[in-house]
Amino acid sequence: MSLEATAINLAIGGRAILIDASVRVDTGRVIGLLGPNGAGKSTLLRSLAGLEPSVAGKRTLDGVTAPPRANREWACRVAYLPQTGDLSWPVTVREVVTLGRLPHHAGPWGSQSAQDRAIVDLAMKHADVTLLANRPADALSGGERARVMLARALATEADYLLADEPIAGLDPGHQLQVMELLRARAGAGMGLLVVLHDLTLACRYCDMVVLLQAGRVVAQGRPLEVLNPDNLANVFGVRVLAANTPDGPIRVPVARLPEDVR
Ligand code: ADP
Ligand code: MG
């Protein structure tokens, strides 16, 4: 079972944003999508999610050609967590998380079933926002907001989750907590594609990583193989401290490299 995009090409205003980019998300796996700012990570995620209308290429969901645009049925199976979640409405956190159930309900959005409520409770528990349930969603810290958006995506109970920088802005404890939560979802059978910038967390929590540079996939495979010093120098222009610790591998950027040695 997999969600797959093959040979994705996308140009905006005559400029190539994605060039023959392919990515595959298997169920039960966490795939990390890494690359510099502007490399096209969010655009690739949106393309895979069926949210980029002018994309060329092939997308399949469990071997079946995907609809060109995300529809209700698709949204039940593929959840998308955008990079910046705006939560400036005067509603409670619980109401925001309940929106994750929306694709499952045809017709007008009426009262939720006991099952919907139980799923929303579980999603809030998984994202550690249960204590925020009755708080107004427009009065949260950045980290709290990020976890609420994640809870909303989890409430869909989709088979695949495409998460764009879900740990950006979180404190270290919550970064680890969210990565553990994403791993647990994979353990429960979900397939996850996660954009992130933390090299150490990518090594620890991802089964595979895809490295994107200027719209092209330049490397993919096991994290420790892909996130090697040469690739990190070429793609990010940095030298990393690479070490193994009792808690697992670490990759810490320590210096910017001059242009001529990248
Ligand atoms: P990343 O998520 O890796 O930082 P993005 O996918 O957001 O990168 O953007 C990739 C490139 O596409 C950037 O150069 C960005 O400026 C450009 N881009 C993204 N969306 C648009 C748009 N709607 N119009 C014009 N350019 C865009
Ligand atoms: Mg982005």
Side-chain angles (χ1 to χ4, degrees):
M1 302 266 276
S2 64
L3 172 64
E4 220 170 329
T6 312
I8 295 292
N9 283 279
L10 181 72
I12 298 178
R15 194 161 69 88
I17 307 291
L18 292 173
I19 304 150
D20 276 335
S22 297
V23 62
R24 175 174 148 170
V25 188
D26 291 308
T27 52
R29 294 271 182 275
V30 178
I31 315 298
L33 179 58
L34 286 87
N37 297 137
K41 303 178 298 297
S42 295
T43 311
L44 182 57
L45 222 64
R46 287 176 49 79
S47 300
L48 191 53
L51 301 170
E52 288 287 351
S54 56
V55 73
K58 192 175 172 205
R59 294 159 46 248
T60 57
L61 177 57
D62 297 340
V64 178
T65 300
R69 297 294 299 267
N71 57 26
R72 182 189 295 278
E73 194 188 340
W74 170 270
C76 288
R77 303 215 40 216
V78 181
Y80 166 67
L81 177 58
Q83 190 166 355
T84 51
D86 194 12
L87 274 181
S88 46
W89 324 304
V91 295
T92 65
V93 163
R94 167 171 271 284
E95 285 167 322
V96 171
V97 178
T98 302
L99 290 173
R101 301 301 301 155
L102 208 47
H104 293 274
H105 294 272
W109 176 231
S111 60
Q112 309 109 47
S113 66
Q115 191 196 6
D116 285 322
R117 281 193 291 276
I119 290 168
V120 166
D121 282 342
L122 191 62
M124 287 199 296
K125 181 169 171 243
H126 281 152
D128 193 26
V129 296
T130 304
L131 293 176
L132 305 176
N134 297 317
R135 289 261 300 272
D138 57 354
L140 299 172
S141 75
E144 290 167 340
R145 188 166 56 240
R147 297 198 324 273
V148 169
M149 297 310 282
L150 177 61
R152 186 178 84 163
L154 292 178
T156 303
E157 293 213 307
D159 298 318
Y160 299 92
L161 172 63
L162 309 176
D164 203 345
E165 301 201 23
I167 60 169
L170 298 189
D171 64 68
H174 278 112
Q175 287 194 8
L176 289 168
Q177 182 193 37
V178 167
M179 292 311 293
E180 280 167 18
L181 156 69
L182 298 178
R183 267 250 63 93
R185 292 300 87 213
M190 191 181 235
L192 299 99
L193 181 63
V194 181
V195 177
L196 77 174
H197 284 297
D198 191 301
L199 305 172
T200 297
L201 296 182
C203 288
R204 297 256 184 100
Y205 289 97
C206 296
D207 298 295
M208 305 277 280
V209 298
V210 175
L211 203 49
L212 199 66
Q213 181 180 34
R216 293 179 198 272
V217 173
V218 292
Q220 59 182 312
R222 303 227 168 260
L224 293 183
E225 287 160 20
V226 170
L227 302 178
N228 65 47
D230 281 349
N231 280 345
L232 295 172
N234 290 334
V235 171
F236 292 102
V238 296
R239 183 156 55 81
V240 292
L241 172 68
N244 288 314
T245 77
D247 291 307
I250 56 172
R251 293 280 185 281
V252 182
V254 287
R256 256 167 61 79
L257 292 167
E259 298 279 350
D260 57 338
V261 299
R262 289 181 190 176

